[in-house]
Amino acid sequence: MNFNPKMLQVYLVGGTQDTHHDSYEFLAKVEEAMQAGITAFQYREKDNSTMTADARLIMARRLVEMGKRYSIPVLIDDDVQMALRVGADGVHVGQDDEQIEQVIKEAAGKLIIGYSCNTATEVEKANHLSAIDYLGCGPVFETTSKIDADPVLGLTKLEELNKLSNHPLVAIGGLSLKNIPEVLKTGVAGLSMISLVLNSENITETVEKIKALINN
């Protein structure tokens, strides 16, 4: 699947650590979100995940199959080899993950490449890497979904990074239905969320509300 910035509009990120370490709950929630109209999904087992390497591989395959069923791109967090092995659409790497130059070497032309950048220096470096498809920036607000989260950016900094970037930018971290309109005013290409969707009592309704805010 070729990259299109519209893929970033409603970009769900998550792993089993976001659903009480329950694989069945995780798959059910991701499928409901796909049915509701998310535009991309990133499989991310992090922090306190209890999944073994084999279990992650099996889960990744199931998610890729699900993505194909709903025509939604599925990206793998910080594992190029897994992404290639399971036939994922892309890979997302952070500043502390695999070296971006090595990721580009292995994935360019084969996978959509996303890269986390939270400072002007990081964005400027990314501007010289044409193989990158998009940047993830955050946390925009305080977040409880990521234990090792970077310092909060805030809206002003997010807007500055968006203007500086040659790549489309997706905002992540602490997004809510209340603050999304302000985030969209910064000009970012999309919104990435974890708990807003996966902790929702009505995932379909939440995704529909997010889409309505984007299309407003």
Side-chain angles (χ1 to χ4, degrees), residues 6-216:
K6 288 188 176 181
M7 291 175 176
L8 304 175
Q9 287 185 332
V10 188
Y11 185 171
L12 179 62
V13 177
T16 56
Q17 71 276 348
D18 303 305
T19 56
H20 317 98
H21 304 284
D22 185 327
S23 298
Y24 296 103
E25 180 186 349
F26 175 61
L27 282 167
K29 287 187 170 183
V30 173
E31 182 158 25
E32 184 179 349
M34 286 188 177
Q35 289 171 337
I38 59 168
T39 53
F41 178 72
Q42 181 192 137
Y43 177 43
R44 176 183 172 275
E45 290 288 340
K46 285 281 190 182
D47 304 332
N48 57 343
S49 172
T50 57
M51 295 277 276
T52 64
D54 286 345
R56 291 179 192 212
L57 190 64
I58 293 166
M59 178 64 78
R61 288 191 197 282
R62 294 190 68 173
L63 291 164
V64 167
E65 288 167 7
M66 191 185 291
K68 285 182 168 51
R69 203 154 62 240
Y70 295 103
S71 299
I72 291 167
V74 172
L75 293 85
I76 305 295
D77 176 71
D78 184 30
D79 196 329
V80 177
Q81 293 308 312
M82 180 189 283
L84 292 169
R85 189 172 173 186
V86 301
D89 298 288
V91 64
H92 185 95
V93 291
Q95 294 290 325
D96 299 326
D97 296 333
E98 293 186 64
Q99 287 291 319
I100 189 62
E101 290 83 4
Q102 182 61 30
V103 170
I104 288 170
K105 188 176 177 182
E106 295 177 24
K110 302 173 188 174
L111 298 170
I112 294 166
I113 300 174
Y115 190 38
S116 294
C117 291
N118 305 317
T119 68
T121 302
E122 291 168 359
V123 170
E124 285 169 347
K125 177 187 174 184
N127 282 344
H128 297 289
L129 300 170
S130 59
I132 293 171
D133 292 294
Y134 74 89
L135 302 184
C137 285
V140 182
F141 305 104
E142 289 284 348
T143 177
T144 57
S145 298
K146 194 173 180 186
I147 293 169
D148 58 346
D150 290 311
V152 170
L153 284 179
L155 293 168
T156 303
K157 186 70 174 176
L158 179 67
E159 186 170 9
E160 289 172 2
L161 295 179
N162 187 57
K163 287 177 179 175
L164 183 63
S165 178
N166 293 343
H167 305 288
L169 192 151
V170 60
I172 188 167
L175 301 192
S176 69
L177 294 173
K178 285 184 179 179
N179 63 37
I180 281 174
E182 295 302 312
V183 175
L184 291 171
K185 286 178 186 175
T186 66
V188 294
L191 308 167
S192 187
M193 63 286 296
I194 301 173
S195 56
L196 175 59
V197 172
L198 293 179
N199 289 352
S200 171
E201 292 182 6
N202 189 328
I203 288 174
T204 299
E205 185 178 280
T206 298
V207 171
E208 287 174 350
K209 285 180 178 177
I210 295 166
K211 295 179 78 174
L213 290 170
I214 291 168
N215 298 324
N216 192 350

